[in-house]
Amino acid sequence: EGGVSHVAQVSSPPAEAADRPGFDRLWHPRPVLCAVCTSRTRGFGWFDPHRLRPTRTQTRRWFCSMGCQAAFTRKAKKGLSMVDFTEEETQALPAVMRALAPEMERIGWDRPLGQLTQNDMHRLIVTTVEAFRAEMAEIASQSEIPF
């Protein structure tokens, strides 16, 4: 009877908190997009600390980077919504239009969207999203970080 024990130490599950009964889901939802630039999130989050825990899920936001998290936090502190176009998003629109112009020249300005091929639509969407992300990142890099 050797001194080796084959009993595993298994920690007991966390106790159920009174203000959040039931299973606590994972801390980071995987399929969520950045609340600022719509990139894939990478673990940076925000919630309204003034709300009670059960209602915080309605105010939780996830971000791809500290820059996007800081931009959202600045707006939240000012009480601004991320639903409407922000000043920065409005500033990004001309860059998006400049990026789309060559694609529209190639396709034809008078061609209805319903007649575009799947490849043409894909190129327009990718061009729009990438130009917007790049311009928002540039604008965020020029703004003051609040810490």
Side-chain angles (χ1 to χ4, degrees):
E1 316 335 284
V4 177
S5 171
H6 296 290
V7 177
Q9 292 284 329
V10 177
S11 60
S12 56
E16 200 174 83
D19 63 344
R20 50 176 211 273
F23 174 72
D24 267 354
R25 60 190 190 114
L26 295 174
W27 69 274
H28 180 262
R30 301 295 186 249
V32 176
L33 299 178
C34 177
V36 175
C37 72
T38 69
S39 291
R40 194 178 95 235
T41 57
R42 292 181 179 85
F44 301 94
W46 181 91
F47 66 88
D48 185 349
H50 304 293
R51 287 193 164 203
L52 296 174
R53 243 190 194 149
T55 60
R56 280 185 188 168
T57 56
Q58 292 133 12
T59 62
R60 245 182 231 153
R61 301 292 183 267
W62 297 100
F63 308 98
C64 65
S65 65
M66 288 178 66
C68 283
Q69 183 182 36
F72 184 90
T73 303
R74 281 193 305 275
K75 297 296 180 192
K77 283 180 181 177
K78 293 178 183 176
L80 300 175
S81 170
M82 292 301 282
V83 174
D84 297 329
F85 269 27
T86 64
E87 182 182 334
E88 292 87 357
E89 289 168 334
T90 303
Q91 290 173 0
L93 291 179
V96 173
M97 289 185 261
R98 284 191 302 275
L100 279 176
E103 283 300 313
M104 290 306 297
E105 287 294 328
R106 185 186 61 78
I107 291 169
W109 288 95
D110 57 349
R111 192 161 164 207
L113 289 177
Q115 292 180 0
L116 297 183
T117 66
Q118 183 177 355
N119 188 46
D120 287 339
M121 284 300 291
H122 182 265
R123 286 177 65 167
L124 283 175
I125 292 168
V126 168
T127 300
T128 302
V129 170
E130 290 302 318
F132 184 75
R133 283 182 182 166
E135 190 63 17
M136 287 299 289
E138 178 63 27
I139 290 168
S141 72
Q142 296 171 2
S143 64
E144 182 181 320
I145 297 177
F147 52 87

